[in-house]
Amino acid sequence: MLGEKTAANAAAFSQRLIVHAPFQVQKVLTDNGKEFTDRCCATGERDPTGSHRFDRTCATHGIDHRLIKSRHPQTNGMVERFNSRISEVLATTRFDAAQNLEDTLCRSVRRYHHQIPQRALGHITPVQGLQGGQEKCPRLFKKKVYNLMGLDNHYQSTGSVPRRARQSAHGQQTDPHHQAPNSH
């Protein structure tokens, strides 16, 4: 999780995503927040200049940065629903330590990715969608599809995967960069 909505944090997140995602990022759809675009200004809307930090990061990596239509947050429906699920967990759970909060968030993300079918994906889970995409278009993938548990902030200071994230579902240690056969 990132502390603030800033262009620097958004660009840094996209850099980490590009490195760690098992697929080649081709398009990114974001809202019109100032961390993503200079489209909105004091005088209203304008065409994005392309000089915003997030836009430059996308351009450097050949990623098509698309913006949702202003005042239409339903376009980001899956993201909004995921954020709503996390908000529900945070509002209904009392944490006595930061580690408990982190563990709960990791379980929630893992459940979402592996156990909750998404209507927008044809009633399959996100991980199943990635695995199916890899079978259909393997050239778009850089490495085997797997899911690492953990929060994004683990990568900020060290760039390494925390020990807990290197454990498979069966508790075995795994190398996140090793392309072992998929066990699903």
Side-chain angles (χ1 to χ4, degrees):
M1 290 206 260
L2 302 174
E4 298 178 44
K5 290 183 177 183
T6 65
N9 281 343
F13 172 81
S14 66
Q15 291 281 15
R16 289 189 304 279
L17 175 65
I18 290 163
V19 169
H20 295 287
F23 50 85
Q24 175 66 41
V25 178
Q26 297 178 329
K27 296 175 188 168
V28 173
L29 178 67
T30 67
D31 62 23
N32 294 287
K34 65 182 180 177
E35 64 272 23
F36 300 117
T37 185
D38 57 6
R39 174 181 181 176
C40 299
C41 60
T43 59
E45 278 190 36
R46 63 178 181 204
D47 288 334
T49 64
S51 62
H52 188 277
R53 186 171 182 170
F54 189 81
D55 285 326
R56 289 193 321 264
T57 300
C58 289
T60 298
H61 296 283
I63 299 170
D64 180 15
H65 178 205
R66 298 181 179 190
L67 300 167
I68 66 170
K69 192 183 236 184
S70 291
R71 292 176 286 287
H72 285 81
Q74 63 272 25
T75 304
N76 272 353
M78 285 183 70
V79 172
E80 297 299 330
R81 181 63 188 132
F82 177 77
N83 289 343
S84 174
R85 286 178 188 269
I86 295 299
S87 293
E88 289 170 15
V89 168
L90 295 177
T92 59
T93 309
R94 185 175 185 106
F95 303 100
D96 59 0
Q99 188 62 49
N100 292 346
L101 169 61
E102 182 178 338
D103 292 344
T104 299
L105 290 174
C106 287
R107 281 191 307 274
S108 296
V109 169
R110 185 161 182 79
R111 185 179 321 111
Y112 181 85
H113 287 167
H114 288 277
Q115 298 174 353
I116 301 177
Q118 302 296 315
R119 184 175 52 185
L121 299 175
H123 301 284
I124 60 174
T125 67
V127 168
Q128 289 170 330
L130 282 172
Q131 290 168 336
Q134 187 170 36
E135 288 175 17
K136 290 177 186 171
C137 297
R139 72 186 191 305
L140 298 178
F141 288 77
K142 304 182 291 185
K143 55 189 171 185
K144 191 82 173 159
V145 173
Y146 55 88
N147 185 39
L148 293 178
M149 289 180 30
L151 300 175
D152 182 57
N153 65 351
H154 289 297
Y155 299 105
Q156 286 181 356
S157 59
T158 64
S160 65
V161 178
R163 182 189 64 76
R164 197 171 42 258
R166 291 189 299 262
Q167 291 185 352
S168 72
H170 306 291
Q172 299 168 334
Q173 290 291 339
T174 61
D175 178 357
H177 303 291
H178 176 69
Q179 295 184 16
N182 194 347
S183 61
H184 295 291

